[in-house]
């Protein structure tokens, strides 16, 4: 079973576009999905934008979110070593440090990182990080 760290932008995209492919993939038993608890901070920060851009009611968004979150294992900071945080910091410092918890968790789990941010992927690849999950 492959371990996949899910980035906030994957979740946002799924909520805004009601992406059925992503929802099906998140429930696929051949993968085990993880996210840092920091994802909840990201959700809270972008809640209004998600509600505004989604073409479903707020209650439907919450129901969809609940279904998605049931397939993601959330990991606290105590699981990630200081060394892994430093590695993630060095990888993300020149692009956006908000990705640091996701990259650090990817390193800690020796997992693949699922993000839809192409600029981030290019930057991380230039730093030698190539552990990406590319489902489509």
């Amino acid at each position: 079973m492959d371990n996949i760290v899910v980035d906030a932008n994957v979740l946002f995209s799924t909520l805004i576009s009601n992406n059925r492919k992503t929802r099906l993939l998140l429930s696929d038993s051949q993968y085990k999905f993880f996210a840092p608890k920091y994802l909840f901070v990201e959700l809270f920060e972008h809640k209004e934008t998600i509600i505004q851009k989604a073409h479903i009611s707020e209650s439907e968004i919450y129901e969809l979110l609940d279904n998605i979150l049931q397939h993601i294992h959330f990991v606290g900071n105590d699981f990630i070593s200081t060394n892994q945080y430093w590695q993630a910091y060095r990888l993300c410092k020149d692009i956006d440090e908000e990705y640091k918890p996701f990259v650090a968790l990817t390193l800690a789990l020796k997992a693949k990182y699922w993000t839809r941010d192409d600029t981030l992927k290019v930057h991380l690849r230039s730093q030698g990080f190539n552990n990406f999950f590319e489902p489509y």
Side-chain angles (χ1 to χ4, degrees), residues 15-106:
L15 291 170
I16 290 169
S17 67
N18 199 5
N19 188 324
R20 293 188 192 323
K21 284 183 184 177
T22 303
R23 282 191 293 148
L24 286 172
L25 187 59
L26 283 168
S27 64
D28 190 332
S29 62
Q30 80 180 48
Y31 303 111
K32 191 168 184 180
F33 295 98
F34 294 88
K37 288 183 179 178
Y38 177 74
L39 179 63
F40 290 109
V41 172
E42 289 278 317
L43 276 169
F44 187 75
E45 284 181 0
H46 299 283
K47 174 187 171 207
E48 296 305 318
T49 303
I50 292 167
I51 291 169
Q52 200 172 49
K53 290 184 176 184
H55 299 290
I56 56 177
S57 71
E58 188 171 341
S59 63
E60 289 173 306
I61 290 171
Y62 292 141
E63 184 178 331
L64 178 57
L65 179 60
D66 180 53
N67 289 333
I68 293 168
L69 294 180
Q70 290 180 37
H71 300 286
I72 300 174
H73 303 273
F74 289 90
V75 180
N77 292 339
D78 54 336
F79 181 78
I80 302 167
S81 74
T82 303
N83 183 42
Q84 290 158 337
Y85 267 113
W86 275 107
Q87 283 180 275
Y89 169 76
R90 285 191 298 274
L91 289 166
C92 298
K93 69 179 178 163
D94 294 328
I95 185 90
D96 188 341
E97 288 186 42
E98 287 196 4
Y99 291 108
K100 182 176 61 174
F102 300 94
V103 173
L105 182 58
T106 302

